Amino acid sequence: MRMPESACLLADLVAVPSPTGHEEDAARLLADRMPRFGWESAHLDGMGSVIAYRGTGDKELVILGHIDTVPGGPEFYMDQETIIGRGAVDAKGPACAMAVAGGCIPIPRDWRVTFVGAVGEEIDSRGARFRMPLHEPTALVIGEPTGSDGVALSYRGRVLFAFVGEDEGAHRSGSPGPMTEAVRAASSMCDIVKNMGQGYSIAVMDMEGHEVGKRSASVTMDFRLPLGTEQADIELILNETAASFGLTAQVIEYVPPYGVHKSDPVIRAFRNAIRETGSVPRILAKQGTCDLNVLSPWGCHMGAFGPGDSKYDHTSNEQIKISEFLHGVEVLKLALPKIMSSI
């Protein structure tokens, strides 16, 4: 059986490694292919993201996925049923589905559609941040794996921070020093977060310590936050915890939690489209953080959708069923016009 061209696009993109910071080959492949699927123009922007356009109306629908991946993953493999490889789910699958669907849907006269295949999402969202001042969209769809029968209306926020400390040196028998205190502070934060209630979680991301005369230590932690969390409250907890161990808390990045109501036109369009393809729609509150949070200052109608099972995200067995990918394309073909006709 001949493979659909849309599935070949995904397979070819997955076959090109694109860990964050090394997306250029994958980005050029995708940009070169976009006109085949109906896009009027495609290029790489100043940050290296793929940008493609259709339509000339005043109202803009942005469909944004990311083409960078975390490192590692399984060796690329494809058969008639499955595509295996890093990025198949997170998030080349959703990005390719949007590229295919967005290139063939009818565009109303008062609308234009912009595709963004963003770089850098897995680390600092540099691609999305670069686009932020360049658009004032009416609606936004983020390409993240929700399953072809799911649509996400919220994502948790996060604080990336470090406990850091340094002294002039001392004998460990009398003074445990900043490395010990940093470990104790991290352990204390884990206990605090455990008692903060549903939606909060924390994990150690990186640890570093040195003792060469002076002693220094740093423990970097990834703190996830549910809707309703106030940044000032979190920073107070971090500063008080650090001070109790003689350390300093340094906030590296704060990304707020964000969500829309289930009646948002984007969410409603996907719910109806999923039903029309014969599935029962699932409305998701996702536990991760993505470019939806980063782009929330746009304040437009938004939601996230993409084929693929998120249980395979970042795993050594990342894979997507071709039937799942194609189903996601069909949902997008129905949902995107519904978004533009309802706003």
Side-chain angles (χ1 to χ4, degrees), residues 206-221:
D206 185 66
M207 301 176 67
E208 185 174 3
H210 301 280
E211 182 177 353
V212 184
K214 292 182 178 182
R215 299 183 295 181
S216 62
S218 173
V219 176
T220 303
M221 305 190 78

Side-chain angles (χ1 to χ4, degrees), residues 27 40 60 73-74 96 104 117 127-128 140-141 163 192 199 212 249 274 285 294 316-318 341:
E40 295 162 11
E60 183 182 26
C96 286
C104 69
L140 167 68
V141 178
F163 288 132
I192 290 170
V212 184
I274 290 166
V294 172
S316 61
N317 192 33
E318 187 168 356
S341 67

Side-chain angles (χ1 to χ4, degrees), residues 170-183:
H171 199 288
R172 290 186 300 277
S173 64
S175 171
M179 283 185 277
T180 300
E181 297 305 327
V183 170

Side-chain angles (χ1 to χ4, degrees), residues 27-28 31 42-53 64 114-119 126-132 134-135:
R28 292 197 179 281
H43 67 276
L44 304 189
D45 71 7
M47 194 56 67
S49 299
V50 180
I51 311 298
Y53 301 101
L64 183 147
T114 304
F115 171 89
V116 180
V119 298
R126 69 194 68 167
R129 295 182 191 280
F130 183 83
R131 302 307 303 181
M132 189 179 296
L134 305 178
H135 304 268

Side-chain angles (χ1 to χ4, degrees), residues 37-101:
F37 293 94
W39 294 90
E40 295 162 11
S41 64
H43 67 276
L44 304 189
D45 71 7
M47 194 56 67
S49 299
V50 180
I51 311 298
Y53 301 101
R54 290 187 67 213
T56 58
D58 292 334
K59 294 192 286 188
E60 183 182 26
L61 169 62
V62 173
I63 54 177
L64 183 147
H66 68 91
I67 57 175
D68 68 309
T69 70
V70 297
E75 183 177 350
F76 171 76
Y77 172 79
M78 178 184 182
D79 59 25
Q80 293 294 320
E81 296 182 352
T82 308
I83 296 171
I84 298 173
R86 178 61 80 228
V89 172
D90 188 11
K92 294 178 180 180
C96 286
M98 291 196 301
V100 172

Side-chain angles (χ1 to χ4, degrees), residues 116-337:
V116 180
V119 298
E121 191 271 352
E122 295 290 357
I123 292 183
D124 55 13
S125 291
R126 69 194 68 167
R129 295 182 191 280
F130 183 83
R131 302 307 303 181
M132 189 179 296
L134 305 178
H135 304 268
E136 295 181 0
T138 303
L140 167 68
V141 178
I142 295 290
E144 285 287 334
T146 60
S148 59
D149 62 348
V151 58
L153 50 70
S154 68
Y155 281 78
R156 290 194 298 174
R158 81 165 186 174
V159 177
L160 188 64
F161 72 93
F163 288 132
V164 298
E166 182 179 88
D167 67 12
E168 295 301 317
H171 199 288
R172 290 186 300 277
S173 64
S175 171
M179 283 185 277
T180 300
E181 297 305 327
V183 170
R184 292 177 62 203
S187 176
S188 178
M189 274 304 303
C190 289
D191 290 338
I192 290 170
V193 172
K194 188 185 300 183
N195 294 314
M196 289 182 70
Q198 187 174 5
Y200 292 94
S201 66
I202 195 166
V204 173
M205 182 174 173
D206 185 66
M207 301 176 67
E208 185 174 3
H210 301 280
E211 182 177 353
V212 184
K214 292 182 178 182
R215 299 183 295 181
S216 62
S218 173
V219 176
T220 303
M221 305 190 78
D222 184 346
F223 188 3
R224 301 291 170 137
L225 315 169
L227 292 172
T229 304
E230 295 292 335
Q231 181 178 0
D233 295 338
I234 296 301
E235 291 185 355
L236 179 62
I237 293 171
L238 299 183
N239 290 330
E240 289 182 344
T241 302
S244 67
F245 292 96
L247 305 170
T248 300
Q250 297 180 351
V251 174
I252 301 166
E253 180 185 46
Y254 173 75
V255 180
Y258 190 75
V260 299
H261 193 268
K262 65 180 181 181
S263 64
D264 184 281
V266 172
I267 305 300
R268 187 168 63 243
F270 276 101
R271 292 167 64 191
N272 291 334
I274 290 166
R275 287 192 189 97
E276 289 180 22
T277 63
S279 297
V280 177
R282 297 178 299 119
I283 301 177
L284 308 174
K286 298 285 279 184
Q287 297 303 297
T289 305
C290 74
D291 283 339
L292 182 142
N293 306 70
V294 172
L295 297 173
S296 62
W298 277 344
C300 63
H301 302 292
M302 64 179 68
F305 171 84
D309 190 335
S310 59
K311 75 179 182 183
Y312 291 115
D313 287 9
H314 300 190
T315 69
S316 61
N317 192 33
E318 187 168 356
Q319 61 181 272
I320 188 170
K321 294 294 184 184
I322 293 173
S323 59
E324 161 72 6
F325 171 73
L326 296 176
H327 188 201
V329 172
E330 294 307 310
V331 171
L332 281 159
K333 287 180 179 178
L334 293 169
L336 298 181

